[in-house]
Each structure stands twice: as C-alpha cells, then as structure tokens.
Amino acid sequence: MKTRDTLLTLLLPLMALSAWFAVSTIGLVPLYLLPHPLTVGEAGLRYILGTAGQGAYAGRFLGDLAASLTRVLLGFSLAAVLAIPLGLLSGRLLLVNRLFSSSINGLRAVPGICWLPLAMIWFGIGIRTTVFLVAMAAFFPIYQNALTGARLVAPIYYQAGAMLGVSRFRGIFAILLPMAMPNIIAGLRLGMGISWAYLVLGELTGVPNGLGAVIMDARMLGQTEMILVGIILIALIGRACDRLLVFLMRLCFKSARRQM
C-alpha cells in the first residue's frame, strides 16, 4: 500500500519531468526560456554543494535557506499565535465575532501586493517587512479555519461536559480544541503554504539573501536556470515544512493524532 501511494505521489512530477526533457531535447522552446533539466540540475548542485568562486551563486544555499526559514517561521508563528485564539473566540462568542469578523474579512480581500509599499515605508527593506507580509498572509486562513472549527462544535457537547463537572476553562482544552482540531490543522497548513508565497514577495524588495532574493537576482542577470532552481527548492522546502508541521501537531496533540 505504501509503495503504491508513493508511486501515485511521484506520478505527476515524473510526467512533468519527462515532458520537460522532451520539450528541451526536441527544441520546441528556446533554451533561454526553458533551460534543459540537466542544466538546471547542474546549477542546483553548484548552488547547494559548490564553493565560492565556482559561480555567481555557488555555495550560497545554506545561508539563503537559513534567512528564508527564519522569516517564514517568525511570520507564521506570529500569525498562528494571534489567529487561533481570535478565531476560536470569534467562533464561540457573538460579541467578539461582531467586533472583528467584518473588519478581518474586509482586510482579507486586500491583495498582498498592496501591503508591500506600506510595509517598506513602515519597516524599510529587510526582515521586518518580510515577516510582516508573511504574518499578514498566514493570519487569514488560520483565523477563518479556527472560527469555522469553533462554530462546528455543537452546544450539546458543552452541556454534556458541564454535567460531568467540566468547567468552562477546562472545556476549552477538553472539548473545543479537540473538536476544532481538524479545522485548525487545515488552517495552519494553508497558512504555511501561503507563507512561502509571500516570503518570495517580501524578498523581491532587495534583501541581500534568501531564496526569493536569488530568484530576483537571477532574473536581472538572465539566468533562467537559477530561477527554476529557486522555484523547485521552494516547492521542496515548503513540502518539507508542511510535513514537519503535521508531525509536530501529532506529537503535541492527541486529537491531532486521531484526525491525521
């Protein structure tokens, strides 16, 4: 079963890679628009395993990875710390919902690119702008899913808990969080995915390091293969972060183990 699942997971990437090889080999697309996969692979190896002097980006990977991970984790953590409690409160308390939901839903409609000029004025070019953009982007899906999860908890469960002597405060951890956990996890995973998208937006502003900065520099230098290397690495690292998030949720919460 696991072997079959693995093959199904790899089927689409392998098909895309085969098509890429075919298109590049036949020459249907000019190489300056879509470099050959082997060229991209060589550029990726130099970027990850190379040393200074072997190329423009050789040996930069670990520093860029550390910078990007720091920005993503700071922004994502800030969003989760704010969005989960606020979403749960909005889902259970009508007063809180009326106070925050309309404003939050209005802000959610504002494209992230609109926040970029304001963030640069407020925070300048650097980590604070990127963390702000990542936190803003991740906040909305986490908040909305936490709110939905809290609303789905039927009042009868609280009544049953009260009959068993469960206090309101304890009910948060014994009833609300376990039953809202599937939605909370869905929101966190969506937030993590969108965090990487907005990380690149923040790093396109001129920061000296980071995976998004590499993509922007490569565009200006006309190195299409490095643009593709950056895209592929972000996809792989984003997937790894998603799996790590799932693992940590399982490790920390029994209700998450039952749901995932």
Side-chain angles (χ1 to χ4, degrees):
M1 179 66 75
K2 288 186 177 180
T3 303
R4 187 181 68 179
D5 291 343
T6 301
L7 290 175
L8 286 174
T9 301
L10 295 176
L11 180 60
L12 187 58
L14 289 176
M15 290 175 61
L17 183 60
S18 300
W20 185 4
F21 262 102
V23 167
S24 299
T25 302
I26 296 173
L28 292 177
V29 179
L31 291 178
Y32 70 88
L33 293 178
L34 184 65
H36 196 278
L38 294 179
T39 303
V40 175
E42 292 172 1
L45 287 176
R46 284 196 304 270
Y47 178 54
I48 297 171
L49 302 176
T51 57
Q54 293 182 340
Y57 303 98
R60 280 187 49 178
F61 173 68
L62 290 180
D64 291 330
L65 176 63
S68 292
L69 279 176
T70 299
R71 293 163 184 149
V72 165
L73 293 179
L74 286 175
F76 176 78
S77 299
L78 179 60
V81 167
L82 294 174
I84 292 176
L86 189 56
L88 293 174
L89 286 172
S90 296
R92 297 310 307 172
L93 301 177
L94 182 59
L95 177 62
V96 177
N97 183 271
R98 288 179 174 173
L99 182 62
F100 289 103
S101 282
S102 294
S103 298
I104 290 175
N105 288 327
L107 291 174
R108 185 176 60 178
V110 179
I113 193 68
C114 295
W115 293 104
L116 180 58
L118 188 61
M120 293 178 67
I121 292 172
W122 284 352
F123 306 114
I125 295 175
I127 187 172
R128 291 183 295 175
T129 292
T130 308
V131 169
F132 172 80
L133 292 172
V134 169
M136 283 287 296
F139 175 87
F140 298 112
I142 298 174
Y143 167 84
Q144 191 61 48
N145 278 273
L147 185 153
T148 302
R151 282 183 174 174
L152 291 176
V153 182
I156 192 171
Y157 293 108
Y158 294 101
Q159 296 168 9
M163 292 176 63
L164 295 173
V166 177
S167 65
R168 287 189 177 183
F169 180 76
R170 188 183 169 196
I172 296 174
F173 301 96
I175 300 172
L176 178 58
L177 280 177
M179 300 200 70
M181 188 59 67
N183 294 82
I184 293 174
I185 292 171
L188 288 171
R189 295 182 71 181
L190 287 170
M192 176 62 76
I194 203 169
S195 292
W196 281 98
Y198 276 74
L199 166 80
V200 175
L201 176 63
E203 289 184 341
L204 294 182
T205 58
V207 295
N209 51 17
L211 297 171
V214 168
I215 292 174
M216 175 56 79
D217 291 344
R219 182 195 69 82
M220 296 180 68
L221 295 175
Q223 297 189 15
T224 312
E225 67 277 7
M226 279 305 303
I227 297 176
L228 292 171
V229 168
I231 292 171
I232 293 169
L233 286 175
I234 288 173
L236 293 174
I237 297 166
R239 172 61 175 167
C241 288
D242 177 75
R243 300 314 304 164
L244 179 61
L245 176 63
V246 170
F247 171 77
L248 291 175
M249 294 299 291
R250 285 176 173 170
L251 185 65
C252 297
F253 300 98
K254 291 182 180 179
S255 54
R257 296 171 208 163
R258 293 193 294 268
Q259 299 292 337
M260 303 168 67

